[in-house]
Amino acid sequence: MRVREFAWPDYDDVAALWTGSGRDVLSRAELTAKLVRDPQLFLVAEVADAVVGVVLGTYDGRRGMILRLAVAPAYRRRGVATALVAEVERRFAALGCPRVNLLVLPEDTAALRFWQALGYVPQPDVLCSKPLSR
């Protein structure tokens, strides 16, 4: 397995991973804007030239966020997610990022166990979201 930065030819594979994980697919326009800011934090894992995992990190200069971690079902429980998180954390550290946050739905107990095993501590934050008109 190899972890590397996202490249545009990966888009369809990444979109399929997000769809398969029940996530909305970010448009090419949204990803283009993201890649201007911190392209080194958008990573894919590949095995035999196939994209099997993805993680999207962002850094605002104050804190990092890990978003959209997804692994193909056939590759789950094989260390793919752990490798992606380790690499994005390494890259956050290289940017001088002092803290990384992420959001996990409280009912997703498997995800909570995964993140806690990696040292993440649940916080009593409330998630609120509002789409902005464009």
Side-chain angles (χ1 to χ4, degrees), residues 6 19 22-23 36 40 42 46 54 57-58 68 73 87-88 95-96 99 108 111 113 117 119:
F6 168 86
T19 299
R23 303 300 310 261
V36 167
Q40 71 275 31
F42 188 13
E46 65 179 5
V54 60
T58 64
R68 296 180 175 266
E87 181 59 19
V88 80
L95 292 170
R99 171 180 287 287
D108 193 345
R113 282 192 306 271

Side-chain angles (χ1 to χ4, degrees), residues 48-126:
D49 296 324
V51 174
V52 300
V54 60
V55 68
L56 179 65
T58 64
Y59 181 53
D60 65 7
R62 188 169 77 86
R63 74 179 145 232
M65 287 288 297
I66 294 178
L67 307 163
R68 296 180 175 266
L69 175 65
V71 176
Y75 289 88
R76 291 180 185 158
R77 299 202 158 304
R78 296 185 182 192
V80 175
T82 301
L84 283 164
V85 171
E87 181 59 19
V88 80
E89 287 175 339
R90 187 189 69 71
R91 291 172 183 229
F92 279 130
L95 292 170
C97 177
R99 171 180 287 287
V100 177
N101 295 330
L102 54 95
L103 299 172
V104 179
L105 296 173
E107 64 272 11
D108 193 345
T109 56
L112 285 168
R113 282 192 306 271
F114 170 79
W115 290 108
Q116 286 176 314
L118 295 181
Y120 288 80
V121 178
Q123 301 292 316
D125 295 336
V126 176

Side-chain angles (χ1 to χ4, degrees), residues 1 10 16 19 24 28 30 32 35 38 47 52 56-57 65 75 81 84 92 96 98-99 101 128 133:
M1 178 183 64
D10 301 322
T19 299
D24 293 337
R28 289 179 185 269
E30 285 180 279
T32 297
L35 292 170
D38 45 21
V47 173
V52 300
L56 179 65
M65 287 288 297
Y75 289 88
L84 283 164
F92 279 130
R99 171 180 287 287
N101 295 330
C128 296
S133 59

Side-chain angles (χ1 to χ4, degrees), residues 5-26:
E5 285 182 29
F6 168 86
W8 282 110
D10 301 322
Y11 181 79
D12 291 337
D13 293 332
V14 167
L17 284 172
W18 285 336
T19 299
S21 297
R23 303 300 310 261
D24 293 337
V25 175
L26 295 179

